[in-house]
């Protein structure tokens, strides 16, 4: 019996919770999809060590009269997580009022451990409780409720555990159709006809548009959601138009059609044990995916630009563990020759993000807001300098680099969004600056990061990929101001080891 037949024939034996809406067609579909995944997709339940992890705080939803925050681990229980848009009002006073009303803070934390009412929650959170109950689970994690918010809260420590929170969850609920807390995401689905009327065994063509409904939806434009999606082993996407179920086997739509098998980069995003597939993909495909991931993330929305480092922290740390490499500020040591070659894509280049508590180094793409790309041949098999000439410095934010001089009569010539490096009338390289600043090449030095192994140019004509750097106020210390490529004959062969911050 195939999945479509099995799902449609299981209605009579489908047990539901006591919730009055639990027998709605959408919940029938979700329960049977999860049942099928549990029974037939061993790879969707194979994360090593997941039994050893439990949440610091979770919401108990099993009592229809009262919810409660729980800080001890119940035996043999699963939990669901909610991926959602906060959608706070633009007015600061109103936004603060909403946060104080709905979020868990040091002021209401103790009271919520004793219990609180379903009616106290905004509609999106209420809908997540409904889904959890209908799926016959008793525990739900929502960031705004399960992490103590505010300056005296535990956001900084809990944000670093996101990898385990989402990876160990039974399922993630993606509130794709809700732009904020008050919107909710279930009404359109609860009001719709039964599955047999939407998609039956005789339905010839699936009309669902996963790309439009999910990939281009408001939720997926939120930066935090990228790591939530990648780290989740399976996800329920509830959109205005359709419901989709995503797991390691692919994407199933509500018309009981399995969408086209994922290929390329999407194959790694759907990895239920991320990044196990990535670890088997080989150098070129791995670096291609990592660059794709960072480019995608860099264009996503953050309420606070200072979250740029935090909102992907768990994802890059988990990837670093599996790839067995050191990771600092979004750069993998094993891919230094490629990941240092980022360039900013926005036209009006803003100054670095004003991080308050910490400083992100100039060589990291996390130092700035806005989209990034990588110079065109940064995905190729590259030759990189010896570690003494290019490596992470011990214990901090710096790189140890070999600082070199530009040779010849090099000068800059404006060329669209980039600058050409020219010697007389001859163009010998290109530069992309990080900020909109009046920078003169004679005030700068460079660091050779890599060069293509299979380059057609040899000797002095071969191409160096370089960072453009200049001295900071203190001697012997440098900061990055741009990235580029240039013919080797225009870079000095010698240099001295310095610190790049």
């Amino acid at each position: 019996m195939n999945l479509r037949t099995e799902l449609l024939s299981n209605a009579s034996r489908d047990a539901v919770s006591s919730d009055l809406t639990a027998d709605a067609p959408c919940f029938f579909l979700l329960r049977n999809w999860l049942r099928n995944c549990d029974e037939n997709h061993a790879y969707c339940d194979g994360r090593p060590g997941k039994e050893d992890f439990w949440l610091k705080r979770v919401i108990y939803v099993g009592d229809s009269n009262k919810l409660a925050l729980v800080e001890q681990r119940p035996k043999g229980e699963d939990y669901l997580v909610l991926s959602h848009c906060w959608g706070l009002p633009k007015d600061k006073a109103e936004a603060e009022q909403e946060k104080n009303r709905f979020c868990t803070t040091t002021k209401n934390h103790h009271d919520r451990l004793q219990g609180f009412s379903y009616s106290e929650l905004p509609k999106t959170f209420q809908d997540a409780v409904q889904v959890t109950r209908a799926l016959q689970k008793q525990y739900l994690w929502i960031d705004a409720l399960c992490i103590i918010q505010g300056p005296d809260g535990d956001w900084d420590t809990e944000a670093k555990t996101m990898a385990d929170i989402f990876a160990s969850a039974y399922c993630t609920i993606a509130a794709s159709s809700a732009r904020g807390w008050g919107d909710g995401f279930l009404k359109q689905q609860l009001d719709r006809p039964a599955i047999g009327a939407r998609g039956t065994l005789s339905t010839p063509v699936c009309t669902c548009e996963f790309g439009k409904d999910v990939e281009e939806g408001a939720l997926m434009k939120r930066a935090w959601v990228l790591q939530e999606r990648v780290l989740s082993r399976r996800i329920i996407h509830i959109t205005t138009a359709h419901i989709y179920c995503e797991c390691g086997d692919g994407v199933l739509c509500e018309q009981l059609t399995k969408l086209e098998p994922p290929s390329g980069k999407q194959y790694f995003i759907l990895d239920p044990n991320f990044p196990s597939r990535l670890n088997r993909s080989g150098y070129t495909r791995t670096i291609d995916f990592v660059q794709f991931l960072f480019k995608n993330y860099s264009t996503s929305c953050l309420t606070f630009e200072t979250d740029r480092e935090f909102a992907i922290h768990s994802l890059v740390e988990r990837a670093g563990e599996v790839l067995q490499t050191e990771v600092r500020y979004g750069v993998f040591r094993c891919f230094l020759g490629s990941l240092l070659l980022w360039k900013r894509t926005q036209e009006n280049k803003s100054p670095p993000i004003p991080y308050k508590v910490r400083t992100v180094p100039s060589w990291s793409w996390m130092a700035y807001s806005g989209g990034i790309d990588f110079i065109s041949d940064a995905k190729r098999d590259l030759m990189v300098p010896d570690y003494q000439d290019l490596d992470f410095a011990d214990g901090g934010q710096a790189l140890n680099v070999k600082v070199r001089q530009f040779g010849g009569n090099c000068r800059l010539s404006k060329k669209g969004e980039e600058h050409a490096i020219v010697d007389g009338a001859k163009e010998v390289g290109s530069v992309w600056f990080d900020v909109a600043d009046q920078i003169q090449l004679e005030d700068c030095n460079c660091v050779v990061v890599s060069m293509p192994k299979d380059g057609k140019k040899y000797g002095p004509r071969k191409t160096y990929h370089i960072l453009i750097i200049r001295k900071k106020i203190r001697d012997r210390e440098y900061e990055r101001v741009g990235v580029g490529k240039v013919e080797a004959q225009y870079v000095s062969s010698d240099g001295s080891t310095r610190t790049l911050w």
Side-chain angles (χ1 to χ4, degrees):
M1 183 183 294
N2 64 33
L3 182 57
R4 287 169 61 90
T5 307
E6 184 179 355
L7 290 179
L8 288 172
S9 65
N10 275 340
S12 60
R13 66 182 182 91
D14 182 46
V16 299
S17 76
S18 59
D19 192 301
L20 293 178
T21 63
D23 61 348
C26 61
F27 294 143
F28 160 74
L29 170 65
L30 296 178
R31 283 191 298 273
N32 279 277
W33 169 69
L34 286 167
R35 178 188 294 143
N36 178 71
C37 188
D38 284 339
E39 294 175 355
N40 299 308
H41 301 164
Y43 41 82
C44 289
D45 193 31
R47 186 174 300 285
K50 70 182 180 63
E51 297 83 2
D52 299 331
F53 174 79
W54 188 254
L55 307 153
K56 182 175 182 179
R57 214 170 281 117
V58 69
I59 311 160
Y60 175 69
V61 302
D63 186 337
S64 60
N65 297 315
K66 185 173 68 172
L67 309 176
L69 278 183
V70 176
E71 293 185 340
Q72 66 273 1
R73 179 172 187 170
K75 290 185 178 180
E77 293 288 348
D78 287 314
Y79 66 91
L80 275 69
V81 294
L82 174 66
S83 180
H84 68 103
C85 293
W86 280 48
L88 291 171
K90 293 183 179 179
D91 180 83
K92 288 186 178 180
E94 191 178 348
E96 196 63 29
Q97 187 179 23
E98 274 203 18
K99 288 173 71 176
N100 290 334
R101 179 183 173 191
F102 296 128
C103 292
T104 296
T105 64
T106 53
K107 292 181 179 179
N108 62 19
H109 172 218
H110 180 75
D111 290 340
R112 288 188 169 180
L113 291 173
Q114 310 310 311
F116 57 99
S117 170
Y118 171 88
S119 61
E120 293 177 30
L121 300 179
K123 191 67 175 72
T124 295
F125 295 178
Q126 289 180 349
D127 285 357
V129 171
Q130 275 192 273
V131 173
T132 304
R133 288 172 172 170
L135 295 180
Q136 302 168 332
K137 301 299 177 183
Q138 298 188 90
Y139 294 93
L140 171 67
W141 187 90
I142 301 175
D143 52 4
L145 304 183
C146 298
I147 299 176
I148 298 176
Q149 309 291 321
D152 300 322
D154 51 10
W155 172 257
D156 286 353
T157 56
E158 287 300 286
K160 293 178 181 178
T161 68
M162 291 295 183
D164 289 325
I165 290 173
F166 279 85
S168 301
Y170 180 72
C171 187
T172 295
I173 306 166
S176 301
S177 59
R179 292 183 175 272
W181 294 350
D183 292 356
F185 57 89
L186 278 180
K187 186 178 186 305
Q188 296 94 331
Q189 299 302 331
L190 293 176
D191 290 345
R192 297 179 71 199
I195 288 177
R198 302 192 223 172
T200 67
L201 295 179
S202 61
T203 301
V205 180
C206 172
T207 59
C208 297
E209 298 181 88
F210 185 74
K212 179 180 178 181
D213 294 343
V214 174
E215 303 285 2
E216 299 173 18
L219 181 62
M220 288 301 159
K221 293 176 182 176
R222 180 175 168 256
W224 282 96
V225 171
L226 178 63
Q227 73 171 0
E228 294 170 5
R229 182 185 182 191
V230 173
L231 294 171
S232 297
R233 56 194 178 100
R234 48 195 183 187
I235 309 175
I236 297 163
H237 298 280
I238 303 179
T239 75
T240 303
H242 304 287
I243 291 177
Y244 301 91
C245 304
E246 179 180 302
C247 70
D249 191 52
V251 178
L252 182 73
C253 74
E254 65 180 36
Q255 292 183 348
L256 310 182
T257 299
K258 184 177 176 182
L259 305 186
E260 285 298 316
S263 60
K265 303 174 185 69
Q266 199 74 3
Y267 174 74
F268 300 111
I269 288 179
L270 298 187
D271 182 359
N273 299 299
F274 181 88
S276 62
R277 291 177 179 173
L278 196 64
N279 198 35
R280 303 189 297 268
S281 66
Y283 178 89
T284 303
R285 290 190 71 194
T286 300
I287 190 60
D288 185 41
F289 174 75
V290 171
Q291 290 184 352
F292 158 79
L293 202 67
F294 291 161
K295 286 166 61 177
N296 189 11
Y297 173 78
S298 71
T299 58
S300 300
C301 301
L302 283 167
T303 304
F304 306 102
E305 61 179 1
T306 50
D307 282 344
R308 188 161 169 107
E309 180 193 358
F310 259 142
I312 200 171
H313 173 86
S314 295
L315 182 57
V316 297
E317 287 296 312
R318 184 174 289 277
E321 289 173 9
V322 171
L323 296 173
Q324 298 182 344
T325 189
E326 187 177 358
V327 186
R328 292 190 189 176
Y329 304 99
V331 176
F332 295 82
R333 186 173 187 257
C334 63
F335 299 136
L336 270 178
S338 295
L339 295 185
L340 288 175
L341 298 177
W342 54 269
K343 59 182 180 180
R344 301 182 71 189
T345 56
Q346 64 189 92
E347 196 167 321
N348 298 315
K349 296 177 180 176
S350 55
I353 296 171
Y355 289 99
K356 297 176 183 178
V357 180
R358 61 203 183 281
T359 302
V360 173
S362 65
W363 48 264
S364 168
W365 56 268
M366 292 180 171
Y368 297 92
S369 59
I372 63 165
D373 200 349
F374 294 85
I375 63 176
S376 59
D377 47 1
K379 297 187 181 86
R380 298 165 65 179
D381 196 8
L382 303 173
M383 297 176 64
V384 299
D386 293 334
Y387 280 123
Q388 66 265 24
D389 292 336
L390 180 69
D391 198 9
F392 292 140
D394 290 339
Q397 304 162 317
L399 288 176
N400 288 327
V401 298
K402 187 174 184 178
V403 176
R404 303 175 186 242
Q405 307 289 328
F406 285 106
N409 298 308
C410 290
R411 60 182 177 82
L412 295 176
S413 175
K414 182 69 173 173
K415 181 184 175 184
E417 286 303 303
E418 66 184 82
H419 286 76
I421 302 177
V422 296
D423 180 15
K426 179 185 177 184
E427 184 176 325
V428 297
S430 300
V431 172
W432 295 265
F433 287 112
D434 300 334
V435 294
D437 196 2
Q438 297 298 319
I439 298 175
Q440 303 299 320
L441 200 62
E442 54 265 31
D443 297 330
C444 298
N445 296 90
C446 67
V447 174
V448 175
V449 172
S450 59
M451 69 176 186
K453 273 186 179 179
D454 59 347
K456 295 180 180 179
K457 296 178 181 178
Y458 299 94
R461 295 287 314 280
K462 64 188 176 186
T463 300
Y464 279 160
H465 298 143
I466 58 173
L467 302 184
I468 312 299
I469 63 173
R470 65 182 175 189
K471 276 189 179 180
K472 296 183 71 175
I473 296 175
R474 289 178 289 177
D475 191 26
R476 297 177 63 86
E477 293 182 358
Y478 289 79
E479 63 182 350
R480 171 184 152 142
V481 295
V483 65
K485 47 189 178 182
V486 67
E487 290 183 7
Q489 61 185 317
Y490 293 95
V491 174
S492 66
S493 58
D494 60 344
S496 52
T497 301
R498 293 290 186 265
T499 306
L500 178 62
W501 292 86

